[in-house]
C-alpha cells in the first residue's frame, strides 16, 4: 500500500503508542496549546528516560511552517527508527545512553492540519488577526531581530509582538527551562541545504567552525545514503538575515543551531522523494544527537589560540594553548576543501603535545586544519577551535595563476534565439539547460591566457563553476554536466548556435 503522510492525530496516536511500548525510553508531553486548542507534543527519547533532563540534549523541531510536512514525518520516523533498532545497534544504544533527544515533530499543528485539509500551500499558524486575515509566520515571531510588520495578510507576518503566539511561547518555555539542550535543528523544506545560525549583528563568535562542521559531518552521513551533498550556507553580511527566527533565538542562548531544508519541494511525492529524504536524514540526525554531549559544560574546553607557526611548500607547523591535563589528547583534522567533514577519513594526527608538524603537503594548495580536545576515558570531545586556513608556498620553479573571464566574455547561447545570442553576454544571469522558450542553452566563456609565460609547462589546471539555484545554494544534480574547450578561432560567430 502506498504510504502517505501522517496526520496530526495519527502522529499523536503513534507517539502515545510508543510511550506505552517503550516506557523506559520515551515519554510524551504537551508543552502548550495552539490557537485551536491542539496539544503541541514533545517526545523525550533517552535510555532511562526518567534521567533524560540530566543529559546533554539535541532539540528537533519540525513543521514550523504548515506546508513543510517533512519535519513531522521525519521526526516520527526518527523515533520509530531509534525504538526499533536500539537493542541491536550498539551505536544507537551508546548515543541514547549519553544523550537525550527532545523532539517536537510539529510546532504548528493548526497550520499543518489546515495545509493538509484546506489549502496545501498554507505557511503560517491559524491566529485570527481580526481583520479578515489569518496567521502569523512562527519563524518570524521569536525575539532575536524581531521586525514588527503591519501586513497581516503577508506570508511572513511577524505577529503583534515577539512571542505573541502560543506555539512560539511553548517552545521558548521549554528551551528556557532546559539548559541541557546543546544543539537545535529546525527542519524545513525545501532546498537540500543547511543554514547554520549566525549572530544577528555579526558579533564576534567562536562557534562558526562548530556550526559549519556539524553540518558538514551530517552531510557526510547524508552522502553515504543517497550520494547527495547538501549546501551549507551561513548568512554573512550583506545577506539580509531572517528576523525573529527560532534558529537565532536558540543560538542566542548558546545552543549550536541550524535550519535544515530537506528535499526539493515543500510537499514531495511520498514514495518517490520523501522516503529518500527520510532515509538520508536519519543517520545524519543520529550523528548530531551523539554530538550533543560534546557541547555540554562537562565536555573538555575548546582549544585556545590554534594557529599556524610556519609553513613552506610541503609542510607546516601548528600550535595551540591548553591547560596541562594528563587526561586530554588532541585530534587534528585536515581537509583540502572548506566545509568538509571532520571524521575518521580526515583525521590527520593525534597528540598529547601542544604542537603538530605535518609533512608531505602539496605545493600551492589550500589546506584547512581543525582541532578538538578529547577526554581519554570518556571519549567526550571539546567544541572545535576556529579553523586554521592557509595555502602552501610554491616551489622556486613553479607559478600559479587564477584567471577569471571578463563579464563581457561570459554569456549563453540559446538554440531558439540565434539572433539574440550576442546580447546574452555580459548579463548576470546565465541560463543553462533546456527551456521551452529558449531550447537548449549552453554557457560560453572566453578566458584570456596571455598572462601565462609562453614556455610554461602546465602541470595542473582546474576549472571551477559555481552554479546557483533559486535559494543561492549550489545545485546538486541537474542531469549531465559536460565541459569542452574550444579554440576561439574556430568559433566563427557566437550568434550561430552550431
Ligand atoms: Zn520553512
Amino acid at each position: 500500500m502506498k504510504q502517505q503522510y501522517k496526520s496530526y492525530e495519527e502522529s499523536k496516536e503513534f507517539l502515545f503508542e510508543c510511550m506505552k511500548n517503550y516506557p523506559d525510553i520515551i515519554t510524551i508531553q504537551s508543552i502548550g496549546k495552539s490557537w485551536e486548542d491542539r496539544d503541541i507534543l514533545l517526545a523525550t527519547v533517552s535510555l532511562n528516560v526518567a534521567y533524560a533532563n540530566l543529559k546533554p540534549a539535541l532539540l528537533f523541531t519540525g513543521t514550523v511552517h504548515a506546508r513543510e510536512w517533512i519535519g513531522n514525518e521525519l521526526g516520527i520516523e526518527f523515533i520509530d527508527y531509534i525504538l526499533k533498532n536500539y537493542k541491536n545497534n550498539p551505536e544507537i544504544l551508546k548515543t541514547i545512553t549519553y544523550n537525550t533527544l527532545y523532539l517536537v515533530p510539529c510546532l504548528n499543528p493548526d497550520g499543518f492540519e489546515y495545509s493538509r485539509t484546506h489549502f496545501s500551500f498554507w505557511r503560517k499558524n491559524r491566529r485570527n488577526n481580526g481583520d479578515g486575515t489569518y496567521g502569523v509566520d512562527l519563524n518570524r515571531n521569536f525575539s532575536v531581530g524581531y521586525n514588527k510588520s503591519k501586513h497581516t495578510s503577508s506570508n511572513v507576518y511577524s505577529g503583534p509582538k515577539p512571542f505573541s503566539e502560543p506555539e512560539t511561547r511553548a517552545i521558548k518555555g521549554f528551551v528556557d527551562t532546559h539548559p541541557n539542550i546543546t544543539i537545535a535543528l529546525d527542519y524545513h523544506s525545501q532546498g537540500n541545504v543547511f543554514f547554520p545560525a549566525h549572530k544577528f549583528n555579526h558579533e564576534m563568535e567562536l562557534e562558526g567552525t562548530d556550526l559549519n562542521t556539524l553540518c558538514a559531518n551530517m552531510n557526510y552521513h547524508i552522502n553515504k545514503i543517497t550520494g547527495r551533498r547538501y549546501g551549507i550556507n551561513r548568512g554573512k553580511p550583506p545577506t539580509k538575515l531572517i528576523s525573529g527566527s527560532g534558529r537565532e533565538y536558540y543560538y542566542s542562548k548558546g545552543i549550536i543551531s541550524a535550519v535544515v531544508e530537506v528535499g526539493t519541494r515543500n510537499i514531495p511525492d511520498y514514495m518517490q522523494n520523501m522516503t529518500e529524504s527520510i532515509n538520508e536524514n536519519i543517520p545524519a540526525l543520529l550523528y548530531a544527537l551523539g554530538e550533543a554531549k560534546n557541547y555540554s559544560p562537562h565536555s573538555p574546553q575548546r582549544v585556545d589560540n590554534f594557529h599556524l607557526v610556519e609553513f613552506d611548500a610541503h609542510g607546516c607547523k601548528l600550535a595551540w594553548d591548553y591547560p596541562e591535563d594528563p587526561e586530554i589528547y588532541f585530534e587534528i583534522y585536515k581537509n583540502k576543501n572548506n566545509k568538509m567533514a571532520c571524521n575518521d577519513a580526515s583525521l590527520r594526527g593525534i597528540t598529547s603535545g601542544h604542537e603538530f608538524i605535518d609533512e608531505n603537503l602539496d605545493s600551492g594548495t589550500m589546506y584547512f586544519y581543525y582541532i578538538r580536545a578529547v577526554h581519554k576515558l570518556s571519549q567526550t570531545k571539546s567544541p572545535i577551535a576556529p579553523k586554521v586556513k592557509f595555502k602552501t608556498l610554491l616551489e622556486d620553479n613553479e607559478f600559479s595563476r587564477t584567471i577569471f573571464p571578463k563579464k563581457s566574455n561570459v554569456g549563453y547561447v540559446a538554440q531558439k534565439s540565434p539572433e539574440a545570442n550576442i546580447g546574452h553576454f555580459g548579463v548576470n544571469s546565465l541560463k543553462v539547460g533546456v527551456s521551452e522558450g529558449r531550447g537548449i542553452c549552453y554557457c560560453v566563456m572566453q578566458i584570456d591566457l596571455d598572462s601565462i609565460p609562453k614556455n610554461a609547462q602546465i602541470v595542473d589546471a582546474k576549472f571551477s563553476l559555481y552554479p546557483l539555484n533559486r535559494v543561492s545554494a549550489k545545485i546538486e544534480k541537474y542531469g549531465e554536466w559536460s565541459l569542452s574547450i574550444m579554440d576561439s578561432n574556430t568559433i566563427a560567430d557566437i550568434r550561430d548556435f552550431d
Side-chain angles (χ1 to χ4, degrees):
M1 201 178 81
K2 187 172 168 166
Q3 192 180 356
Q4 294 297 337
Y5 288 90
K6 284 182 196 61
S7 67
Y8 168 76
E9 278 304 323
E10 286 163 339
S11 306
K12 186 173 171 176
E13 266 171 46
F14 167 84
L15 291 173
F16 281 100
E17 191 66 20
C18 288
M19 186 161 77
K20 213 171 80 192
N21 296 335
Y22 300 90
D24 297 338
I25 306 293
I26 178 169
T27 57
I28 309 298
Q29 71 188 98
S30 170
I31 56 169
K33 295 264 192 189
S34 64
W35 283 109
E36 293 173 357
D37 211 34
R38 288 186 180 88
D39 281 310
I40 297 161
L41 297 173
L42 179 140
T44 301
V45 181
S46 200
L47 193 73
N48 297 324
V49 73
Y51 300 102
N53 293 348
L54 300 177
K55 305 180 194 178
L58 169 81
L59 173 70
F60 173 112
T61 46
T63 311
V64 175
H65 288 140
R67 65 193 175 205
E68 299 170 14
W69 301 0
I70 259 168
N72 187 70
E73 202 67 29
L74 174 61
I76 295 293
E77 293 293 325
F78 185 39
I79 289 176
D80 193 44
Y81 176 81
I82 292 176
L83 296 178
K84 283 192 177 132
N85 294 293
Y86 79 95
K87 281 181 187 156
N88 303 317
N89 182 328
E91 191 57 38
I92 302 175
L93 184 62
K94 192 173 109 190
T95 303
I96 63 168
T97 301
Y98 297 111
N99 306 275
T100 289
L101 170 67
Y102 296 129
L103 190 148
V104 180
C106 179
L107 191 63
N108 182 6
D110 297 349
F112 177 51
E113 281 306 298
Y114 189 77
S115 166
R116 282 182 5 87
T117 55
H118 288 81
F119 175 50
S120 65
F121 214 56
W122 188 254
R123 169 180 166 104
K124 302 188 281 183
N125 73 351
R126 292 298 294 166
R127 165 195 272 267
N128 182 346
N129 291 323
D131 58 0
T133 71
Y134 280 82
V136 167
D137 182 344
L138 297 177
N139 209 32
R140 301 292 182 280
N141 188 243
F142 290 76
S143 55
V144 176
Y146 173 83
N147 196 356
K148 193 169 168 61
S149 92
K150 288 197 179 73
H151 305 290
T152 54
S153 62
S154 161
N155 243 340
V156 290
Y157 173 52
S158 57
K161 62 177 188 192
F163 298 114
S164 57
E165 304 310 292
E167 295 89 352
T168 49
R169 276 201 304 277
I171 195 69
K172 176 189 192 301
F174 186 83
V175 169
D176 289 356
T177 52
H178 289 78
N180 57 321
I181 298 173
T182 61
I183 299 177
L185 296 171
D186 190 17
Y187 278 85
H188 291 245
S189 58
Q190 43 145 332
N192 287 338
V193 58
F194 290 93
F195 290 111
H198 40 70
K199 299 274 185 196
F200 201 76
N201 296 308
H202 305 291
E203 297 93 333
M204 274 292 290
E205 59 180 0
L206 282 174
E207 300 88 350
T209 301
D210 292 301
L211 286 160
N212 282 329
T213 307
L214 175 74
C215 298
N217 286 1
M218 290 176 72
N219 219 353
Y220 171 82
H221 290 281
I222 288 170
N223 187 259
K224 271 205 302 197
I225 304 293
T226 55
R228 200 171 275 136
R229 212 174 270 291
Y230 285 24
I232 302 174
N233 284 35
R234 280 194 88 202
K236 284 188 196 134
T239 312
K240 199 166 172 295
L241 304 176
I242 293 176
S243 312
S245 82
R247 178 188 63 186
E248 261 67 69
Y249 180 72
Y250 309 139
Y251 190 42
S252 75
K253 301 197 66 98
I255 298 168
I256 297 293
S257 75
V259 159
V260 193
E261 296 275 3
V262 176
T264 50
R265 287 182 194 181
N266 282 133
I267 308 168
D269 171 78
Y270 200 101
M271 287 312 275
Q272 274 184 5
N273 305 101
M274 182 62 190
T275 39
E276 207 175 286
S277 286
I278 286 180
N279 291 343
E280 70 187 6
N281 273 286
I282 283 179
L285 266 167
L286 193 66
Y287 164 79
L289 178 57
E291 275 292 305
K293 74 176 166 64
N294 296 331
Y295 287 91
S296 92
H298 307 294
S299 67
Q301 71 176 69
R302 186 188 269 112
V303 165
D304 253 346
N305 189 29
F306 183 47
H307 66 284
L308 186 64
V309 179
E310 57 188 25
F311 67 104
D312 56 25
H314 295 291
C316 71
K317 182 174 168 184
L318 299 155
W320 55 92
D321 299 336
Y322 208 82
E324 280 306 328
D325 188 342
E327 291 180 6
I328 293 289
Y329 67 86
F330 303 95
E331 290 180 346
I332 293 107
Y333 301 89
K334 174 175 79 178
N335 281 316
K336 280 191 181 179
N337 287 301
N338 197 10
K339 297 177 194 168
M340 295 301 287
C342 291
N343 55 22
D344 284 352
S346 56
L347 182 63
R348 178 65 191 87
I350 286 177
T351 175
S352 43
H354 289 182
E355 59 176 51
F356 181 75
I357 292 170
D358 204 4
E359 288 162 339
N360 306 315
L361 304 183
D362 296 331
S363 61
T365 304
M366 235 18 226
Y367 286 97
F368 300 82
Y369 284 88
Y370 305 80
I371 188 167
R372 292 187 103 158
V374 186
H375 188 260
K376 278 179 190 166
L377 267 179
S378 70
Q379 290 290 297
T380 308
K381 299 185 186 194
S382 73
I384 308 169
K387 66 171 184 269
V388 166
K389 165 188 167 185
F390 68 96
K391 194 175 186 177
T392 47
L393 299 178
L394 291 165
E395 296 278 25
D396 290 345
N397 61 352
E398 287 181 329
F399 70 93
S400 82
R401 295 272 189 285
T402 302
I403 305 169
F404 295 94
K406 286 200 196 91
K407 193 173 164 187
S408 58
N409 289 343
V410 178
Y412 66 96
V413 288
Q415 185 181 20
K416 292 189 181 171
S417 60
E419 289 312 313
N421 278 348
I422 194 76
H424 299 156
F425 283 76
V427 294
N428 269 321
S429 183
L430 284 175
K431 312 285 194 297
V432 181
V434 186
S435 80
E436 210 174 312
R438 301 184 190 88
I440 303 168
C441 298
Y442 288 119
C443 161
V444 179
M445 58 186 75
Q446 193 178 349
I447 297 168
D448 190 348
L449 301 178
D450 284 355
S451 68
I452 296 178
K454 288 282 174 281
N455 59 351
Q457 261 192 325
I458 298 176
V459 290
D460 186 34
K462 258 187 229 150
F463 191 73
S464 300
L465 277 177
Y466 294 97
L468 302 176
N469 71 3
R470 55 176 276 271
V471 292
S472 299
K474 257 186 234 179
I475 58 172
E476 40 158 346
K477 248 190 241 167
Y478 274 92
E480 295 284 311
W481 284 83
S482 62
L483 287 176
S484 50
I485 297 174
M486 298 182 292
D487 181 345
S488 57
N489 295 323
T490 67
I491 307 174
D493 183 348
I494 206 71
R495 283 167 294 192
D496 179 357
F497 182 73
D498 294 329

